[in-house]
Amino acid sequence: MISDDIKINEETSMAGGHLPVMLEEAVGLLNVRPNHLYIDATAGAGGHLKRICQKAGSGKGIIAMDQDSLALHKLSVNSGPLANEIKFVHSNFANLKTALSDLDINTVDGGIIADLGISSNQLDDSQRGFSFQRQGPLDMRMNTNNRITAADLVNDLNETELANIIYKYGEERSSRAIAKAIIKNRPFANTSELANVVEKVVRYRGHKSKLHPATRTFQALRIAVNNELENLEIFLEQANSILTPGARLVIITFHSLEDRIVKRFFTHMASPCICPPRQPICTCNKKRELLIITPKPLIAGEQEILTNIRSRSAKLRAVEKLP
Ligand SMILES: C[S@@+](CC[C@H](N)C(=O)[O-])C[C@H]1O[C@@H](n2cnc3c(N)ncnc32)[C@H](O)[C@@H]1O
């Protein structure tokens, strides 16, 4: 589960206080080789990107993609001389193939990394409306060109629609009671007003978890506003389709809904057959497309969790494209 109590230590990435999660493990699994193309599909503050650049040296090119134009701009400004090695692409990773074909790129021979969710920089900016601990507009859009904000969902959806979002994307047991209270108390103008109402409901119903009572509801709204799970599914399909044999795909997830999607996709693509188990002869003609490099997901070590609390819920999975 995503936690809001981000601790920042003195190590910083290219643009500000975001600490890259499982940096060495993730970039190690990407198997960065000179003269190969690498894409960071969620470049954010550039922590993983910077390490990829260091390992790849100058060669075939590195692409930094992010759907947040502000994050991408800051990253390009803070990249210094490295910016000459990097192509900055403002796009949702669900449009990976189109964004790359606009650059005349149809295949990736090095690898693709995606470190999902939001960065500490986005969370810490109260005006983005991601945090229940900072008063700001109920926005939560990673791409501010998109139309729908969290305020639109909270103030316009009916009770059932809201309860379904909070249950499905937040795995929140009090979803119905929260939706009811939202309807009763709306319209909401800012994050604090919403967080207070949710907190009251969840505490009244006997909140026992260490998480702040509004964590799950805010996560759910963010996932819905940004269409995160559907975009992840589309991205995985597209990434797999453009990798050439030997290229790697590395994904870091932060909650079980994302991890389940990644795990299922990798398992399906790594499977040589999808015939029913009792069928004596294989008729599915399924091809094994991916080799799973991490049979179990990697998790952050104790030391990293101490310095970067955000890493505590991270899971890292990697695959390699088969011939
Ligand atoms: C956890 S941060 C990445 C941090 C980065 N790895 C680093 O070390 O600084 C996630 C970033 O991915 C971006 N993002 C999330 N979903 C995206 C999507 N569907 N398409 C493109 N960018 C996305 C967010 O805007 C955010 O900047």
Side-chain angles (χ1 to χ4, degrees), residues 16-211:
H18 181 87
L19 292 177
V21 166
M22 285 193 269
L23 176 62
E24 299 309 332
E25 295 90 332
V27 178
L29 282 166
L30 199 57
N31 191 26
V32 178
R33 295 161 289 165
N35 296 316
H36 287 71
L37 175 64
Y38 290 91
I39 298 175
D40 187 339
T42 56
H48 293 99
L49 182 76
K50 186 176 169 190
R51 188 66 98 245
I52 295 167
C53 291
Q54 287 165 346
K55 289 200 165 199
S58 55
K60 220 165 164 184
I62 288 166
I63 293 176
M65 180 178 285
D66 205 293
Q67 65 169 323
D68 182 343
S69 54
L70 185 67
L72 207 59
H73 175 70
K74 274 193 196 161
L75 177 59
S76 70
V77 170
N78 289 323
S79 296
L82 274 181
N84 299 326
E85 309 285 332
I86 304 168
K87 282 199 182 82
F88 297 91
V89 176
H90 178 225
S91 171
N92 193 304
F93 59 44
N95 302 321
L96 180 71
K97 278 174 92 165
T98 315
L100 293 183
S101 76
D102 288 347
L103 300 170
D104 279 333
I105 295 170
N106 299 310
T107 55
V108 176
D109 61 357
I112 304 177
I113 184 169
D115 169 22
L116 302 176
I118 52 170
S119 68
S120 312
N121 300 343
Q122 289 166 320
L123 189 68
D124 290 345
D125 181 349
S126 60
Q127 290 311 302
R128 304 298 297 270
F130 288 112
S131 173
F132 47 75
Q133 290 178 328
R134 290 179 172 74
Q135 181 159 321
L138 262 174
D139 191 323
M140 300 198 193
R141 289 170 301 167
M142 292 187 209
N143 181 349
T144 49
N145 295 333
N146 289 348
R147 210 170 42 86
I148 307 281
T149 65
D152 293 323
L153 301 186
V154 161
N155 292 327
D156 296 343
L157 293 184
N158 69 36
E159 192 174 321
T160 311
E161 290 168 330
L162 270 173
N164 287 346
I165 284 178
I166 296 167
Y167 183 71
K168 190 172 160 200
Y169 298 145
E171 299 182 308
E172 169 60 72
R173 283 187 309 161
S174 302
S175 57
R176 285 180 197 284
I178 293 169
K180 201 180 194 105
I182 288 175
I183 302 289
K184 196 171 156 210
N185 289 282
R186 70 188 186 186
F188 290 92
N190 65 55
T191 48
S192 307
E193 288 173 7
L194 178 65
N196 290 340
V197 166
V198 174
E199 182 171 357
K200 261 187 214 146
V201 174
V202 177
R203 287 211 191 282
Y204 179 74
R205 291 170 59 88
H207 182 66
K208 290 196 183 78
S209 155
K210 277 188 208 155
L211 290 176

